[in-house]
Amino acid sequence: MSEKNLTGLDEIVSLSKARGFIFQSSEVYGGLAAVYDYGPLGVELKRNIQANWWKAMTQAHDNIVGVDAAIFMHPKVWEASGHVEGFNDPMIDDKQSKKRYRADMLIEQHILKLREKGKDEKADDLQQQLDTTGTRKGLCEDLYDIIMAEEIKSPDSGAFDWTEVRQFNLMFKTHYGATSKDDDDIIYLRPETAQGIFVNYKNVLDTARVQVPFGIAQVGKAFRNEVVARQFVFRMREFEQMEMQYFVEPGTDEEQYDAWLNKRMAWHKSLGIREKNLRVAPHPDDKLAHYARAAADIQFKFPIGWQEVEGIHNRTDFDLSRHQEYSGKKMEYFDQREQKRYIPYVIETSIGLDRCTLMVLCDSYREEEVDGDTRTVLKMHPKLAPVKAGIFPLVKKPELQELARKIEAELKEDYTVQYDESGSIGKRYRRLDEAGTPFCITVDFDGLEDNTVTIRYRDDMRQERVSVDKLDAVMRDGMKNWKSPLD
RNA sequence: GCGGGAAUAGCUCAGAGGUAGAGCAUCACCUUGCCAAGGUGAGGGUCGCGGGUUCGACUCCCGUUUCCCGCUCCA
């Protein structure tokens, strides 16, 4: 059986639309950039992944609990977290070299040069102007005016060919309150779900009878005004995170970090993702985020290259300390046994649900040659499949329809199933191959005599004769013992 | 954000200054005894959107939106 490798996301995008996994948002109005909607198959797949994660993180551990925090949060949260400060840089682009600079840094360098040349008076004047930016026309305009007036040139190209100054704030703003229009009433759509966990850390500690080390898990939407949002659902402006923050005693954080990195990698494999397409990529120390002591990505080999699906971070006590500072509320944990007090360190596991869904689609997508014909099939783990079984009468005869409907009604109790009697039997098999459906059940006339049906497997198209009573058990086994087809 | 390319039916695409086609998909009826290709028919597009040129624009020009590739950016 020969196969074609994906060379880009095109096939996935087409299939997603044609079969109803993922659509572009507001398509009838021309689409909204970097926003996507999940269709009937997509929502099932996504929810299955989410449910699997939730179970693996909460149910499977006795010291991890869940929360569901609101998207809106007090604006001070984002001051404490560092997002307000960190996302407000005014940037300017050199049109010649295509390089981007922080506008205020350009001016500061220029001032330094002036001082080197002994033009202190001029430098003082500029410094004064720089210190008062935002008081004349506006932050960006004031900076731009200085650069224009001083004819500051690009450090790289020496060109004087600038775009205007723009602010890249990655947080979405909105107004809180129906009549609000003042800047005072601005709140943000959360750029990460983690803060919803940190601000509830005390509540959980006080109510859930947990002791360090313990974890809080959450699934929810987050929003970022990415400068470049692209590549289908890989980088979206509205996306869903599945996060777990694990609170540990300082000093044990490195060990816990390693442990969680391993556990999370194991989870990805448990989804049936092929090992050759997974890897861990540690962040070099100089690339670490402001809050992190150590960080690594779990990456998947997408058709567009190795890309991050999940991040594991040692966030230290940065977040809790900052919230203690900004809120004035104690974030310490008191260890009764050791009689000591400390602010816990936090190990974060943060995975993009949309990226994970895309990963499953990419990893399972196959185009196979079958008798000179191309079969498109999604060989995903059966437990993730949007539709678990197709149920077909071999031909459209009332007796067969009746038994097929009866089987459908029974299986419906526990599985998502699809009844189909249109077209040839082969066509129906192939149709569900594209939806990743692991089992197809076909009712024929022999079966009316001995209460048996044919079950056909998606991965190898193998067929088996089974008793109707055993269907549930056969499917259960098939799901439990499934192994990713090697290629 | 910059540079380049693209946008025609649900999907993949052809076409062309005189108001659009194919394959697949969808639906109906017939057929069909286990791997997409049987028969008959049907639905579906103001050719991304807005302007302009023209007797006439899907086609030419301008703008805009969206997507793709590269750069840039990326908590």
Side-chain angles (χ1 to χ4, degrees), chain A residues 342-362:
Chain A
Y342 55 82
I343 292 180
Y345 268 39
V346 172
I347 307 302
E348 167 184 88
T349 74
S350 175
I351 175 169
L353 177 51
D354 310 277
R355 286 183 180 186
C356 194
T357 305
L358 183 63
M359 170 176 75
V360 170
L361 287 173
C362 290

Side-chain angles (χ1 to χ4, degrees), chain A residues 250-266:
Chain A
T252 64
D253 49 305
E254 288 179 22
E255 173 193 331
Q256 293 280 5
Y257 169 82
D258 291 340
W260 276 106
L261 187 53
N262 290 334
K263 272 195 199 183
R264 292 307 306 150
M265 191 54 152

Side-chain angles (χ1 to χ4, degrees), chain A residues 62 65-66 202-211 214-216:
Chain A
D62 54 13
V65 296
K202 260 292 187 193
N203 289 335
V204 171
L205 206 53
D206 292 345
T207 57
R209 306 183 59 240
V210 288
Q211 292 181 1
F214 72 97
I216 304 178

Side-chain angles (χ1 to χ4, degrees), chain A residues 294-310:
Chain A
D297 295 343
I298 292 178
Q299 298 186 332
F300 173 74
K301 194 177 183 183
F302 285 96
I304 50 175
W306 286 99
Q307 300 281 354
E308 174 187 0
V309 175
E310 173 157 10

Side-chain angles (χ1 to χ4, degrees), chain A residues 53-54 67-69 190 193 196-197 216-220 241-243:
Chain A
W53 180 89
W54 188 259
V67 296
D68 183 13
R190 64 181 178 198
T193 54
I197 292 177
I216 304 178
Q218 173 169 233
V219 178
Q241 293 187 307
M242 302 192 291
E243 291 198 328

